[in-house]
Amino acid sequence: MIAMPEEVSSEEFHAADGVGDWRITGDGARARFRTGSFATGVQLVAEIGRLADAADHHPDVDLRYGHVGVRTWTHELPGITGRDVALAREISAAARELGVEADPGSVSSMQLTIDAVSQPAVKRFWQVVLGYDEFGDEDLIDPFGNGPWVHFQQMDEPRSQRNRVHVDLFLPEDEAAARVAAAVEAGGRIVYDAKAPLFWTLADPEGNEVDIAPWPDAH
């Protein structure tokens, strides 16, 4: 029987050597590498593929002109484990060999949250509409990894005074407060900050809300 890999906390991940390019967001450890050209990006992706096959641990890779995004997490848990630490370290080393620099401040992940009194019924509707897969009792995920996660938050009773659909934006810890300040400067307002810096709830000028948090478990 294969032993389940041991989960590591976000703090333990960031304390590990060789992973300074990476940030934990809402759905794993992410890095973005500024390749400067598509050809260099292809080289980096090929090296990531070689490392992933050797480790039998396969991240999501997004190749674009000028940059490559990578997300790693351990699906069996789901969560971050030592396997992710090791792979992140190797990918960063490969990027340095190619002369590619990381841009850790640019990473983020987004989740759409829907408040529901009848959670199963509402979730089923959105699963069919979006063509998503179930992920546990409270979430839907894009089977192709392109769209945002959708989370269904149980309500005890209907709530009419505030929107029942909002965005959760997970940012690196060292970027979250600055993003909140910029959003307020752009015309937003802080709805709730009693638990800051764990998370803030902001609203745009017409009341549409977004939660900004460094970690997915901050709520």
Side-chain angles (χ1 to χ4, degrees):
M1 181 176 180
I2 299 174
M4 182 71 69
E6 185 175 348
E7 187 170 8
V8 300
S9 68
S10 53
E11 290 82 4
E12 290 170 331
F13 179 92
H14 287 302
D17 293 332
V19 297
D21 296 338
W22 298 75
R23 297 292 185 272
I24 303 292
T25 60
D27 56 358
R30 287 180 176 264
R32 178 172 286 116
F33 297 96
R34 298 292 184 182
T35 57
S37 73
F38 197 77
T40 302
V42 170
Q43 287 183 282
L44 179 57
V45 170
E47 186 61 16
I48 292 171
R50 184 188 69 79
L51 294 169
D53 279 346
D56 193 25
H57 189 54
H58 300 91
D60 294 331
V61 182
D62 182 26
L63 170 63
R64 305 293 175 113
Y65 176 77
H67 67 88
V68 171
V70 190
R71 177 185 72 136
T72 181
W73 64 311
T74 300
H75 295 249
E76 297 95 319
L77 290 177
I80 301 296
T81 68
R83 299 177 69 190
D84 299 294
V85 175
L87 184 59
R89 183 184 294 123
E90 291 182 339
I91 291 173
S92 287
R96 287 193 297 273
E97 286 290 322
L98 291 170
V100 172
E101 294 187 359
D103 184 8
S106 69
V107 301
S108 65
S109 62
M110 190 182 76
Q111 171 180 283
L112 182 66
T113 298
I114 299 176
D115 296 334
V117 176
S118 180
Q119 189 186 55
V122 173
K123 178 184 170 186
R124 176 58 180 163
F125 169 84
W126 286 101
Q127 180 181 2
V128 171
V129 167
L130 297 173
Y132 273 26
D133 292 337
E134 286 191 294
F135 189 77
D137 295 333
E138 299 178 342
D139 297 280
L140 298 175
I141 58 173
D142 182 350
F144 301 104
N146 295 317
W149 285 33
V150 183
H151 175 72
F152 296 86
Q153 185 166 279
Q154 182 65 52
M155 298 178 64
D156 294 328
E157 57 185 23
R159 183 179 67 187
S160 59
Q161 73 274 21
R162 291 171 59 191
N163 290 355
R164 292 176 57 183
V165 178
H166 70 270
V167 171
D168 290 332
L169 180 64
F170 301 108
L171 293 170
E173 185 176 26
D174 51 0
E175 295 290 328
R179 188 70 62 88
V180 170
V184 171
E185 179 69 21
R189 61 184 174 87
I190 295 175
V191 175
Y192 180 83
D193 64 356
K195 293 188 177 181
L198 291 177
F199 79 93
W200 296 259
T201 299
L202 285 75
D204 70 15
E206 295 191 1
N208 303 298
E209 294 183 1
V210 56
D211 286 353
I212 294 181
W215 316 125
D217 55 356
H219 293 58

